[in-house]
């Protein structure tokens, strides 16, 4: 009778994962035991501390892992420099994303419904709103999602990768349905994300089954080694290719690449804007890193697969990259909504990332990590700016609306129509400058991080012999510049529009209309109703003389800090990229 031998576990190597996932479990317990009045602050402090701690452990582990990569728990977690670098990037981006999530604007509101489970428009939802309920469960969900992303990019076991995929996905499905405003649109976004994500997960696990049928194992390195040793029967290479393709489809769904991108515009638009920024930056980083791990370890990672097999997989990635760049840039150029424009920008950037991946050259994949960091910083910063641009209802005075303007103190939802952003440069020049910097970085303009990132990705393609794909990437980047500049022109050179308030759908205002004596810094009343609840603007309360203007509500701190950090980092990485590029070069090792 064989005795069970407990494995020796390097707990320090698991520390980043343990801190984040353990804090998520503690956060769930806090929901049960911490008083409601202190729960929000406690959850925010715990979440930020966990992500900062994870980043600190990544820094501690870095010299050791660069010198000697390790496998932990029998390969369930494989810490290579590439995997550890991805964990660090996810921790940084998640920290900045949580700052935006935790922000309350000068209206006293966050972006989340008091009870996401309530049916929109019901008396229960009104009661929860008047009672001042807050939804703090989002912070443990964010930690579980971040922990799943970190595990997703650092495992050699396809079954563990599938579990990590679900751990990161399920919290995001829930978070997408928690928007304070446009509740039905938010729930629709969550439903679409869940259904399409379920299909992608099914394809992923079916691909794992085919790979197991080919090699008799689900460990990526063992699969490559068995091919190298010639153990599988001759003629079964097609089974491996089919399995890897199905796994790749599941990963490309998370990346948001064409033709698996259909969920992206609707989910990005319907989800709470801080969650959109978190999801766009962190999920893409985890998914691209996992895609690189699978493709490179199974193919060129151990030099195991024949050139014909590599060529077949390369053709698939090249086709997807071309389609993704084309759809993202062409359809993005005709968008009239800021969030949808950023969604198609995300699709285009998925194509640019795949251009570098398609080179199938491990030596240049350090550029992928730099790209993920640069894109993530610009994305979180851009969506943070969107959370602060709101509609406000005012009543013009005078017979011809030329008299003094009386501020009703009613701040409505986010102003996401591009036309509404006209004149924003005069109202908030510093915020406009930061947003312009993020757009220019996404466009790949020199002296921004985006330029260095795109240069590295296109260099990866040329190194792999795909110079024509790099040329297509440059052309797509030029097309993308057009719709980024269109938004900049609207913000800086066009006068601000004034829209009749009667055309605006009734939405929760979150501030009182009973008093205008307590003005905030933006001229918005921050007082509450006598029963401690909030006011709701209805069409019956909106007169034909009232107008809606676009205002910039001030952040109470966290979102402003996130925007400033993202803007400064974007400039530093564009002007002085050498330090991060050197770290990324050290991280271009995939195999322990």
């Amino acid at each position: 009778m064989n005795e069970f031998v407990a494995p020796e576990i390097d707990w320090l190597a698991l520390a980043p994962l343990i801190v984040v996932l353990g804090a998520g479990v503690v956060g769930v317990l806090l929901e049960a035991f911490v008083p409601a009045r202190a729960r929000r602050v406690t959850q925010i402090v715990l979440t930020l501390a966990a992500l900062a701690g994870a980043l600190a452990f990544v820094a501690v582990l870095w010299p050791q892992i660069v010198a000697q990569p390790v496998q932990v728990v029998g390969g369930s977690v494989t810490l290579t420099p590439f995997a550890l670098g991805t964990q660090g990037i996810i921790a940084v981006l998640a920290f900045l994303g949580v700052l935006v999530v935790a922000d309350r604007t000068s209206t006293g509101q966050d972006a989340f419904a008091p009870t996401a489970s309530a049916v929109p428009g019901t008396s229960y939802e009104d009661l929860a709103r008047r009672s001042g309920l807050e939804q703090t469960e989002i912070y443990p969900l964010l930690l579980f999602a971040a922990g799943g992303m970190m595990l997703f990019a650092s495992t050699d076991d396809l079954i563990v990768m599938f579990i990590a995929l679900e751990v990161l996905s399920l919290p995001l499905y829930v978070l997408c349905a928690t928007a304070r405003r446009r509740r039905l649109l938010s729930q629709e976004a969550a439903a679409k994300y869940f259904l399409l994500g379920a299909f992608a997960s099914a394809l992923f696990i079916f691909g794992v089954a085919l790979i197991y049928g080919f090699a008799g194992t689900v460990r990526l390195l063992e699969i490559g080694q068995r091919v190298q040793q010639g153990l599988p029967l001759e003629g079964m290479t097609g089974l491996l290719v089919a399995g890897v393709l199905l796994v790749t489809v599941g990963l490309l769904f998370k990346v948001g690449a064409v033709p698996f991108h259909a969920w992206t515009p609707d989910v990005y638009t319907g989800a709470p804007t801080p969650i959109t920024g978190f999801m766009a930056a962190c999920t893409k980083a985890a998914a691209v890193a996992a895609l690189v791990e699978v493709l490179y370890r199974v193919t060129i990672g151990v030099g195991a697969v024949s050139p014909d097999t590599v060529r077949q997989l390369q053709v698939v990635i090249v086709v997807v990259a071309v389609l993704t760049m084309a759809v993202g840039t062409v359809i993005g150029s005709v968008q009239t909504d800021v969030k949808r424009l950023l969604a198609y920008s995300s699709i285009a950037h998925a194509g640019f990332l795949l251009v570098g991946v398609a080179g199938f050259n491990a030596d240049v994949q350090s550029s992928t990590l730099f790209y993920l960091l640069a894109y993530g910083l610009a994305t979180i910063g851009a969506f943070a700016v969107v959370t602060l641009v709101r509609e406000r209802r005012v009543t013009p005075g005078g017979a011809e609306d030329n008299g003094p303007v009386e501020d009703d103190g009613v701040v409505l939802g986010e102003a996401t129509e591009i036309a509404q952003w006209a004149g924003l440069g005069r109202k908030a020049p510093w915020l406009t400058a930061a947003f312009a910097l993020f757009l220019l970085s996404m466009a790949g303009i020199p002296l921004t991080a985006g330029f260095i990132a795109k240069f590295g990705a296109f260099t990866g393609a040329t190194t792999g012999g795909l110079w024509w794909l790099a040329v297509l990437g440059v052309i797509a980047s030029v097309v993308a510049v057009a719709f980024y500049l269109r938004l900049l022109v609207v913000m800086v050179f066009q006068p601000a529009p004034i829209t009749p308030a009667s055309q605006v759908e009734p939405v929760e205002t979150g501030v009182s209309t009973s008093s205008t004596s307590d003005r905030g810094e933006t001229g918005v009343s921050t007082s509450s109703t006598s029963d401690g609840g909030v006011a709701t603007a209805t069409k019956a309360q909106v007169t034909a003389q009232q107008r809606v203007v676009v205002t910039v509500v001030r952040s109470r701190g966290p979102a402003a800090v996130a925007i400033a950090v993202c803007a400064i980092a974007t400039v530093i990485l564009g002007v002085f990229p050498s330090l991060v590029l050197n770290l990324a070069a050290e991280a271009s090792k995939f195999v322990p």
Side-chain angles (χ1 to χ4, degrees):
M1 180 176 177
N2 296 327
E3 294 183 1
F4 172 75
V5 179
E8 294 184 4
I9 299 177
D10 185 351
W11 295 105
L12 180 60
L14 294 175
L17 292 171
I18 292 174
V19 168
V20 174
L21 294 175
V25 174
V26 173
V28 173
L29 296 177
L30 292 180
E31 288 296 312
F33 296 106
V34 175
R37 63 180 178 276
R39 195 176 298 155
R40 180 177 181 274
V41 174
T42 306
Q43 291 282 23
I44 293 173
V45 171
L46 174 66
T47 303
L48 294 176
L51 293 170
L55 182 60
F57 276 115
V58 168
V60 170
L61 286 168
W62 184 260
Q64 172 189 341
I65 300 303
V66 169
Q68 181 58 54
V70 297
Q71 287 186 317
V72 188
V73 198
S76 296
V77 176
T78 304
L79 277 188
T80 62
F82 185 85
L84 191 62
T86 304
Q87 288 188 4
I89 290 173
I90 293 172
V92 170
L93 297 179
F95 187 94
L96 295 171
V98 170
L99 287 178
V100 183
V101 170
D103 188 60
R104 282 179 170 175
T105 63
S106 55
T107 63
Q109 289 183 341
D110 58 18
F112 303 95
T115 53
S117 60
V119 178
T122 61
S123 58
Y124 176 67
E125 185 182 47
D126 293 336
L127 177 62
R129 186 184 300 116
R130 290 195 301 271
S131 301
L133 296 182
E134 290 185 322
Q135 196 164 245
T136 53
E137 300 91 337
I138 57 176
Y139 298 102
L141 291 174
L142 286 169
L143 285 172
F144 285 129
M149 293 170 190
M150 294 169 70
L151 177 60
F152 191 51
S154 56
T155 178
D156 187 55
D157 191 309
L158 289 174
I159 297 298
V160 176
M161 187 177 289
F162 174 75
I163 295 172
L165 175 64
E166 298 306 303
V167 171
L168 76 89
S169 298
L170 293 176
L172 293 177
Y173 299 153
V174 176
L175 290 169
C176 286
T178 59
R180 177 178 290 272
R181 298 179 176 86
R182 299 180 180 179
R183 299 277 290 111
L184 290 176
L185 186 63
S186 177
Q187 292 178 355
E188 178 188 353
K192 288 179 178 178
Y193 195 19
F194 171 72
L195 291 175
L196 293 176
F199 282 111
S201 297
L203 292 173
F204 183 97
I205 199 65
F206 187 38
V208 172
L210 291 180
I211 293 174
Y212 181 79
F214 167 78
T217 180
V218 291
R219 298 284 172 83
L220 294 173
L221 290 176
E222 292 180 8
I223 293 168
Q225 290 168 358
R226 295 192 181 188
V227 174
Q228 192 176 36
Q229 296 167 4
L231 293 181
L233 296 176
E234 186 176 353
M236 292 182 63
T237 305
L239 199 63
L240 173 65
V241 174
V244 173
L245 287 178
L246 287 174
V247 169
T248 301
V249 167
L251 297 175
L252 289 175
F253 173 85
K254 286 299 179 185
V255 173
V258 176
F260 318 106
H261 71 292
W263 62 276
T264 307
D266 291 338
V267 173
Y268 279 28
T269 303
T273 303
I275 298 301
T276 303
F278 172 86
M279 182 170 54
C282 299
T283 305
K284 193 178 295 295
V288 171
L291 179 65
V292 170
E293 297 270 7
V294 170
L295 292 177
Y296 280 67
R297 286 187 184 174
V298 172
T299 57
I300 67 172
V302 291
V305 182
S306 67
D308 290 339
T309 303
V310 173
R311 193 175 299 109
Q312 292 174 11
L313 296 174
Q314 188 179 47
V315 168
V316 173
I317 298 300
V318 167
V319 171
V320 171
V322 172
L323 292 176
T324 303
M325 290 188 295
V327 170
T329 54
V330 173
I331 300 183
S333 63
V334 297
Q335 295 304 307
T336 59
D337 183 275
V338 174
K339 290 180 73 174
R340 291 187 74 88
L341 184 147
L342 292 176
Y344 280 101
S345 170
S346 173
I347 293 172
H349 280 280
F352 298 143
L353 279 161
L354 291 177
V355 168
V357 174
F360 274 77
N361 187 332
D363 294 335
V364 300
Q365 284 312 312
S366 58
S367 62
T368 299
L369 290 179
F370 188 92
Y371 200 123
L372 292 174
L373 178 60
Y375 168 77
L377 291 171
T379 298
I380 290 176
F383 280 106
V385 172
V386 174
T387 64
L388 301 179
V389 182
R390 304 288 183 90
E391 295 174 333
R392 189 179 83 244
R393 197 178 72 194
V394 298
T395 302
E400 298 181 357
D401 294 346
N402 293 323
V405 174
E406 178 185 353
D407 189 346
D408 292 345
V410 179
V411 175
L412 307 174
E414 294 164 352
T416 59
E417 289 293 323
I418 292 178
Q420 293 178 299
W421 286 53
L424 192 67
R426 297 179 181 85
K427 298 176 183 177
W430 289 108
L431 195 70
T432 303
F435 191 71
L437 178 63
F438 300 139
L439 293 181
L440 293 176
S441 180
M442 293 180 186
I445 301 301
L447 301 183
T448 64
F451 172 77
I452 305 297
K454 286 188 177 180
F455 181 82
F458 298 155
T459 300
T462 56
T463 302
L466 299 174
W467 61 268
W468 61 270
L469 183 61
V471 172
L472 289 180
V474 172
I475 295 174
S477 296
V478 173
V479 175
V481 169
F483 63 77
Y484 293 129
L485 292 180
R486 177 167 63 94
L487 182 53
L488 291 179
V489 168
V490 169
M491 290 192 297
V492 177
F493 296 106
Q494 291 188 7
I498 298 180
T499 307
S502 56
Q503 297 179 4
V504 179
E505 293 295 325
V507 294
E508 177 192 339
T509 64
V511 292
S512 172
T513 59
S514 60
S515 173
T516 57
S517 60
D518 182 16
R519 300 288 181 184
E521 294 175 316
T522 60
V524 179
S525 171
T526 57
S527 60
S528 60
T529 56
S530 59
D531 60 355
V534 293
T536 302
T538 63
K539 286 183 178 179
Q541 296 171 320
V542 178
T543 65
Q545 288 75 30
Q546 292 172 330
R547 298 291 184 268
V548 168
V549 299
V550 174
T551 188
V552 177
V553 295
R554 292 198 177 185
S555 162
R556 288 190 173 179
V561 171
I563 293 171
V565 171
C566 290
I568 293 171
T570 298
V571 173
I572 291 176
L573 291 179
V575 179
F576 306 106
S578 57
L579 175 61
V580 177
L581 286 175
N582 291 336
L583 291 174
E586 293 180 350
S588 60
K589 186 174 182 180
F590 301 86
V591 184

